[in-house]
Amino acid sequence: MKIAVFHGSTRFNGNTEYLAHHVVPKEKGSHIYLRDYNVQPIVDKRHSKEGFPHVEDDHTQLIDQVLEHDILVFATPIYWYGMSGPMKTFIDRWSQILRDPDYTHFRGALEGKKVYLVLVGGDHPHVKGLPLVQQFNYICQFFKMSLEGYVIGQARKPGDMAENKHALEEASRLIKEDYH
Amino acid sequence: MKIAVFHGSTRFNGNTEYLAHHVVPKEKGSHIYLRDYNVQPIVDKRHSKEGFPHVEDDHTQLIDQVLEHDILVFATPIYWYGMSGPMKTFIDRWSQILRDPDYTHFRGALEGKKVYLVLVGGDHPHVKGLPLVQQFNYICQFFKMSLEGYVIGQARKPGDMAENKHALEEASRLIKEDYH
Amino acid sequence: MKIAVFHGSTRFNGNTEYLAHHVVPKEKGSHIYLRDYNVQPIVDKRHSKEGFPHVEDDHTQLIDQVLEHDILVFATPIYWYGMSGPMKTFIDRWSQILRDPDYTHFRGALEGKKVYLVLVGGDHPHVKGLPLVQQFNYICQFFKMSLEGYVIGQARKPGDMAENKHALEEASRLIKEDYH
Amino acid sequence: MKIAVFHGSTRFNGNTEYLAHHVVPKEKGSHIYLRDYNVQPIVDKRHSKEGFPHVEDDHTQLIDQVLEHDILVFATPIYWYGMSGPMKTFIDRWSQILRDPDYTHFRGALEGKKVYLVLVGGDHPHVKGLPLVQQFNYICQFFKMSLEGYVIGQARKPGDMAENKHALEEASRLIKEDYH
């Protein structure tokens, strides 16, 4: 199965990325760093006559990556007990894709994909990160994707994650499927 | 007590705004429409030597509004089972304010403020909006603010909320304190 | 539609009951007080050769009430952030009913029933009662019942609920369907 | 630190127990099987003049075990997305202990104890077990105990857990403190 990791950190080589690279090693799968893509915030035009305007940015490149892979890993630091801004902006625009005549297959194509989460926070993430797991689960339900598992890491300062052997081992065993 | 409503919709006069105006009538309190302010996404520099750069935008105007009021109402449509992009961007930047030498009083000044939520979504918001309530509750806990209550409305199409007498009445009784 | 309220309080005329009687007046629908029925805790024999033993108690009377009504209201005080013991004992035994040759129609017959919740607690029930809403939602999902709504009341001492006009009004408007 | 595992299964040697024995080996710590104790359901007399009656059962033996240990592990199968009946009955009676003149030290003595959870269910427990984690977290908050971690296992049939190497390894690394 083909796997893609969507990295939502704004920092290079931060704790979330470190943990995510233990879930899927750098040299395997497709690693997509959202901070390298220009994605505009959604302007909600679902109910306007003219519909959504064409947006000149990189969002459809990301959507094409979603479509090409069977397993999707969403790796995000926990900011204020939610996903990072780049991750939310990326997903919010899916509302526009659902109405894009070039992507009428989008919703159906997501059905059956397997999803994993990598979440890293500083303030009791094993408890206070659970609403975020539940939010992702509702997103998966909407598309009939299957939330297969998640790993939650605690980290405050750069380098914390490298010390957390327990989380790293858990991460390395998270994905149950064979992938490349 | 002084009340401010932070409106997180990107649409003018949408369902969330309609419901929020039943919580706090337009002519009372301060109504702040986040879409009218330029707020840049956070770039996480908490751990870089140089710290956060100065950002030329309207964020501190919003923060000053937060500080001036005793009751804060956060009104947001539910997008993908989370808060709207403008609302999240606004709140994410609080991490930067916490390190801003001009706002060393920010964290302490929030303690004891009362918070209400107005959430509107189309897909079973009374259940699927609960992780968002829990997320806001953790934000309140962090600042020792008190989450006093919330109203959740269901709406899909423009105008739906005006039909929902039940939610409107519930909204009009949400705030228990006297305010102006 | 036929409505039944399952009351889970151990106290006569307590706060939860008071609120539930505003959801469905005493003189309408069927009011079932679980404390008046002898229901034995489940002994998990799902996987034993001999299966579940016959239990001499009142549980099937309650199950027959579930089956006879279209709308089910579960009213329970929040004890340690969960449902009351009598309510949990009642529901736990559904696992046994699912394997009872006299009730092979049980699971199918629940599909499409509408469910409402009445929850009353003393410690921030509007936030700390949410996991209980989510738990009931999963129970509904299992049976393809629809969780239509809930009302949460705050009360500590006997009589508190009678003072809470807001919750009582909300309760009286909770059920959207016509019923008798 | 002294550790006690409270086992909430009604079955001997079931999946939850199997997993819990990987968290704390049988020969270490105190293993308490709630099914071996007679604990009566609470009758809520918090607000009656005469107070709670004396109950002739084994509950205070269990409470004494709680008090004697520094780390408490609650191991329960997930029944209808909540804790097992014996576990809930055990905890519900804590309301009575809080008013017991022989246990005025109970609440204070719990402060600072460390809590771990072992939860096993058949229906997507990694997502549908999260409200139960949140419920336990609120219980811990009430007593100022610290919810240090949890392991969630998936199992349907007897013996399933023994096949689940991943969960067993995770269990064996759950407790971070030294204990005996």
Side-chain angles (χ1 to χ4, degrees):
Chain A
M1 305 183 89
K2 294 181 70 182
I3 196 166
V5 185
F6 293 88
H7 294 270
S9 290
T10 57
R11 284 194 292 135
F12 171 73
N13 217 4
N15 285 306
T16 310
E17 221 163 287
Y18 195 89
L19 187 60
H21 286 144
H22 278 73
V23 173
V24 181
K26 275 187 220 189
E27 64 280 8
K28 296 191 73 174
S30 303
H31 288 266
I32 295 142
Y33 301 89
L34 297 179
R35 63 176 175 272
D36 296 342
Y37 294 77
N38 170 28
V39 181
Q40 294 301 306
I42 196 164
V43 179
D44 186 358
K45 295 283 184 187
R46 284 176 297 169
H47 307 296
S48 69
K49 258 186 250 168
E50 71 279 13
F52 284 100
H54 177 72
V55 180
E56 275 296 344
D57 67 2
D58 304 330
H59 192 249
T60 56
Q61 289 180 45
L62 294 171
I63 292 297
D64 292 342
Q65 292 291 323
V66 168
L67 291 168
E68 268 176 39
H69 294 84
D70 310 299
I71 307 175
L72 309 175
V73 181
F74 296 98
T76 179
I78 302 177
Y79 284 165
W80 295 110
Y81 316 106
M83 65 183 82
S84 75
M87 186 65 85
K88 189 61 172 19
T89 302
F90 165 48
I91 290 178
D92 275 354
R93 285 281 300 286
W94 294 14
S95 299
Q96 183 164 352
I97 294 294
L98 286 170
R99 283 164 182 79
D100 187 326
D102 293 342
Y103 285 92
T104 53
H105 57 305
F106 180 66
R107 187 166 178 169
L110 261 56
E111 189 172 333
K113 289 192 192 291
K114 291 167 185 288
V115 171
Y116 289 90
L117 307 177
V118 181
L119 309 177
V120 175
D123 179 18
H124 298 86
H126 289 87
V127 170
K128 297 188 181 178
L130 298 186
L132 182 51
V133 174
Q134 294 171 319
Q135 177 184 0
F136 268 112
N137 187 50
Y138 289 137
I139 295 172
C140 289
Q141 270 184 12
F142 181 89
F143 289 103
K144 299 183 182 164
M145 298 189 291
S146 151
L147 178 55
E148 293 288 311
Y150 51 85
V151 60
I152 298 175
Q154 180 155 15
R156 288 182 180 276
K157 299 184 313 300
D160 273 3
M161 193 51 65
E163 307 292 312
N164 192 338
K165 301 276 180 258
H166 183 140
L168 298 177
E169 285 176 44
E170 195 185 335
S172 67
R173 285 190 321 274
L174 179 64
I175 311 267
K176 297 173 203 80
E177 293 80 13
D178 280 328
Y179 62 82
H180 60 274
Chain B
M1 305 182 88
K2 294 181 70 183
I3 195 165
V5 185
F6 294 88
H7 294 272
S9 290
T10 57
R11 282 194 292 137
F12 170 72
N13 217 3
N15 284 306
T16 310
E17 221 163 286
Y18 194 90
L19 187 61
H21 285 144
H22 279 72
V23 173
V24 182
K26 275 187 220 189
E27 65 279 10
K28 297 191 72 174
S30 304
H31 287 268
I32 295 140
Y33 302 89
L34 297 178
R35 64 177 174 272
D36 296 341
Y37 294 76
N38 171 25
V39 180
Q40 294 301 307
I42 196 164
V43 178
D44 187 358
K45 294 283 184 188
R46 285 176 296 170
H47 308 296
S48 67
K49 259 187 251 168
E50 71 278 16
F52 284 100
H54 177 74
V55 180
E56 276 295 344
D57 66 3
D58 305 329
H59 192 249
T60 56
Q61 290 179 44
L62 294 171
I63 292 297
D64 292 343
Q65 291 291 323
V66 168
L67 290 168
E68 271 176 37
H69 293 84
D70 311 299
I71 309 176
L72 310 175
V73 181
F74 297 98
T76 178
I78 303 177
Y79 284 165
W80 295 111
Y81 316 104
M83 65 182 82
S84 75
M87 186 66 84
K88 188 64 172 17
T89 302
F90 165 48
I91 291 177
D92 275 354
R93 285 281 300 285
W94 294 14
S95 299
Q96 182 164 354
I97 294 294
L98 287 170
R99 283 163 183 78
D100 187 325
D102 293 342
Y103 285 92
T104 52
H105 57 304
F106 180 67
R107 188 167 179 169
L110 260 56
E111 190 172 333
K113 288 192 192 293
K114 291 168 185 289
V115 171
Y116 289 90
L117 307 177
V118 181
L119 310 177
V120 175
D123 179 18
H124 298 85
H126 290 86
V127 171
K128 297 189 181 177
L130 298 185
L132 181 51
V133 174
Q134 295 171 319
Q135 178 184 0
F136 268 112
N137 186 51
Y138 290 135
I139 294 172
C140 290
Q141 271 185 10
F142 181 90
F143 289 103
K144 298 182 184 166
M145 298 189 292
S146 151
L147 179 56
E148 292 288 311
Y150 51 86
V151 59
I152 299 175
Q154 179 154 16
R156 288 181 179 278
K157 300 182 312 299
D160 273 2
M161 194 51 66
E163 307 291 313
N164 191 338
K165 300 280 179 253
H166 183 140
L168 297 178
E169 286 176 45
E170 193 185 335
S172 66
R173 285 190 322 274
L174 180 63
I175 311 268
K176 297 174 203 80
E177 294 81 13
D178 281 328
Y179 62 82
H180 59 273
Chain C
M1 304 183 92
K2 294 181 70 183
I3 196 166
V5 185
F6 293 88
H7 294 272
S9 291
T10 57
R11 283 194 293 137
F12 171 72
N13 217 5
N15 284 305
T16 310
E17 222 164 286
Y18 194 90
L19 187 61
H21 285 144
H22 278 73
V23 173
V24 181
K26 275 186 219 187
E27 65 278 10
K28 296 190 74 175
S30 302
H31 287 267
I32 296 142
Y33 302 89
L34 297 179
R35 64 177 174 271
D36 296 342
Y37 295 77
N38 171 26
V39 180
Q40 293 300 307
I42 196 164
V43 179
D44 187 358
K45 294 284 184 186
R46 285 176 296 169
H47 307 295
S48 68
K49 258 187 250 168
E50 70 279 15
F52 284 101
H54 177 73
V55 180
E56 275 296 343
D57 67 3
D58 304 329
H59 191 250
T60 56
Q61 290 180 45
L62 294 171
I63 292 297
D64 292 342
Q65 291 291 324
V66 168
L67 291 168
E68 269 176 38
H69 294 84
D70 310 298
I71 308 176
L72 310 174
V73 181
F74 297 98
T76 178
I78 303 177
Y79 284 165
W80 294 111
Y81 316 104
M83 66 182 83
S84 75
M87 186 65 85
K88 188 61 170 21
T89 301
F90 166 47
I91 290 177
D92 276 354
R93 285 281 300 285
W94 294 14
S95 299
Q96 183 164 353
I97 295 293
L98 287 170
R99 283 164 182 79
D100 187 325
D102 293 342
Y103 285 92
T104 52
H105 57 305
F106 181 66
R107 187 166 179 170
L110 261 57
E111 189 172 334
K113 289 191 192 293
K114 291 167 185 289
V115 171
Y116 289 89
L117 307 177
V118 181
L119 309 177
V120 175
D123 179 18
H124 298 85
H126 290 86
V127 170
K128 297 189 181 178
L130 298 186
L132 182 51
V133 174
Q134 295 171 319
Q135 178 184 0
F136 268 111
N137 187 50
Y138 290 136
I139 294 172
C140 289
Q141 270 184 11
F142 181 90
F143 288 103
K144 299 183 182 164
M145 298 190 291
S146 152
L147 179 55
E148 292 288 311
Y150 50 86
V151 60
I152 298 175
Q154 180 155 15
R156 288 181 180 276
K157 300 182 312 299
D160 273 1
M161 194 50 66
E163 307 292 312
N164 191 336
K165 300 278 180 255
H166 183 141
L168 297 178
E169 285 175 46
E170 193 185 336
S172 67
R173 286 190 321 274
L174 179 64
I175 311 267
K176 298 173 203 81
E177 293 81 13
D178 280 327
Y179 62 82
H180 59 273
Chain D
M1 305 183 88
K2 293 181 70 182
I3 195 165
V5 185
F6 294 87
H7 295 272
S9 290
T10 57
R11 282 194 293 136
F12 171 71
N13 217 3
N15 284 306
T16 310
E17 220 163 287
Y18 195 89
L19 186 61
H21 285 143
H22 279 72
V23 173
V24 182
K26 275 187 221 188
E27 65 279 9
K28 296 191 71 174
S30 302
H31 287 267
I32 295 140
Y33 302 88
L34 297 179
R35 64 176 174 273
D36 296 342
Y37 294 77
N38 171 26
V39 181
Q40 294 300 307
I42 196 164
V43 179
D44 187 358
K45 294 285 183 186
R46 284 176 296 168
H47 307 296
S48 67
K49 259 186 251 170
E50 71 278 16
F52 284 99
H54 177 73
V55 180
E56 275 296 344
D57 66 3
D58 304 330
H59 192 250
T60 55
Q61 289 180 45
L62 294 171
I63 292 297
D64 292 342
Q65 291 291 323
V66 168
L67 291 168
E68 269 177 38
H69 293 84
D70 310 299
I71 307 175
L72 310 175
V73 181
F74 297 98
T76 178
I78 303 177
Y79 284 165
W80 295 111
Y81 316 106
M83 65 183 81
S84 75
M87 186 65 86
K88 188 64 171 22
T89 301
F90 165 47
I91 290 177
D92 275 354
R93 285 282 300 286
W94 294 13
S95 299
Q96 182 164 353
I97 294 294
L98 287 170
R99 283 163 182 80
D100 187 325
D102 293 342
Y103 285 92
T104 52
H105 57 304
F106 180 66
R107 187 166 178 170
L110 260 57
E111 190 173 332
K113 288 192 191 294
K114 292 168 184 288
V115 171
Y116 290 89
L117 307 177
V118 181
L119 309 177
V120 176
D123 179 17
H124 298 86
H126 289 86
V127 170
K128 297 189 181 178
L130 298 186
L132 182 51
V133 174
Q134 294 171 319
Q135 177 184 0
F136 268 112
N137 187 50
Y138 289 136
I139 295 171
C140 289
Q141 271 185 10
F142 181 90
F143 288 103
K144 299 182 182 167
M145 299 190 291
S146 150
L147 179 56
E148 293 288 310
Y150 51 85
V151 60
I152 298 175
Q154 180 154 15
R156 288 182 178 278
K157 300 182 313 298
D160 274 1
M161 193 51 66
E163 307 292 312
N164 191 338
K165 300 278 180 254
H166 183 140
L168 298 178
E169 285 176 45
E170 193 185 334
S172 67
R173 286 190 321 274
L174 179 63
I175 312 267
K176 297 174 203 80
E177 294 81 12
D178 279 329
Y179 62 83
H180 59 272

